[in-house]
Amino acid sequence: MTTARATVLGRVRDALALAPTPDTTIPRDYRTGRTLPDDERLALFTDRLVDYKAQVHTCTATRTAEVIAEVLDGLGARRIGVPAGLDEQWLCAYDGAVQQDSAGIPAPRLDALDGVVTASAVGCAETGTIFLDGSPDQGRRALSLVPDLHVCVVDLSAVEVGVPEAVARLVPERPTTLISGPSATSDIELERVEGVHGPRTLVVVIRVDA
């Protein structure tokens, strides 16, 4: 017996088979090549991040470990997770427990961590967006999704002005995650609710000379 679903899908397939399939050119004339001086790009990126309720700290590359330790201690994070490829020197000033992540650790177990520290691939100043691409110093998506705190290190040299410029720096074959502030949504009464789909707190450490 033919079901209604099968009938409808059959008619859709028949219609598609009969429909003409003209060549379609997708316009790719995006505005590209925009640049800004470092101080203006930093100011724009910081403004967008703060507007999304992220915490922002700037430092030189030599102070990376010091700032990360201050952030983690200030937020009471005593047990953190890190991707396998993260620079170990970034945590040399932190005296809490550090757990290196691996694919063999079930995602639910990551909830026991107080937070996670990762690097990043690219940033977009205009939208306040951070791109993670699963590189060894950024880890799998679960690592930056499950813990309630994400401390993300961004090099100013990797921050582009706009989306087209930022996307052009990505490797298409890599899994890309876009982060614009801590996880947030609105309930039925339009009240902001944080931490529903990811970290409740996002701290961005921008290294201005890296």
Side-chain angles (χ1 to χ4, degrees):
M1 181 181 295
T2 302
T3 64
R5 178 176 181 274
T7 300
V8 171
L9 291 178
R11 290 177 179 175
V12 170
R13 283 191 290 269
D14 291 343
L16 290 174
L18 295 172
T21 56
D23 292 335
T24 302
T25 301
I26 301 175
R28 302 291 187 186
D29 53 342
Y30 311 121
R31 182 174 56 177
T32 60
R34 288 175 295 166
T35 60
L36 284 174
D38 285 354
D39 57 341
E40 294 183 28
R41 201 167 72 259
L42 173 62
L44 179 59
F45 189 45
T46 301
D47 176 75
R48 295 296 190 268
L49 288 168
V50 171
D51 189 51
Y52 288 140
K53 302 190 182 305
Q55 300 177 28
V56 180
H57 299 263
T58 57
C59 67
T60 58
T62 57
R63 295 192 64 243
T64 305
E66 179 184 347
V67 172
I68 289 177
E70 290 174 354
V71 167
L72 294 173
D73 291 340
L75 294 173
R78 303 309 303 158
R79 185 184 181 195
I80 63 165
V82 297
L86 192 74
D87 188 341
E88 294 180 357
Q89 292 301 311
W90 289 6
L91 296 170
C92 65
Y94 174 65
D95 60 0
V98 178
Q99 175 181 306
Q100 188 177 100
D101 187 42
S102 72
I105 299 176
R109 281 180 51 190
L110 299 175
D111 193 42
L113 299 172
D114 295 325
V116 57
V117 178
T118 75
S120 58
V122 184
C124 175
E126 198 168 57
T127 62
T129 302
I130 299 168
F131 297 74
L132 307 183
D133 68 359
S135 292
D137 59 359
Q138 296 156 52
R140 55 177 174 158
R141 179 66 181 109
L143 181 62
S144 59
L145 177 67
V146 177
D148 204 40
L149 164 67
H150 182 189
V151 179
C152 188
V153 178
V154 179
D155 291 342
L156 183 59
S157 62
V159 177
E160 295 289 346
V161 175
V163 173
E165 293 86 358
V167 170
R169 295 185 61 155
L170 297 172
V171 178
E173 293 78 15
R174 301 198 64 83
T176 305
T177 299
L178 279 64
I179 301 173
S180 294
S183 169
T185 186
S186 297
D187 63 17
I188 195 171
E189 295 180 350
L190 299 182
E191 293 292 333
R192 181 182 173 91
V193 180
E194 298 177 347
V196 178
H197 308 296
R200 191 187 315 271
T201 304
L202 173 65
V203 181
V204 183
V205 177
I206 307 174
R207 307 198 306 171
V208 296
D209 61 345

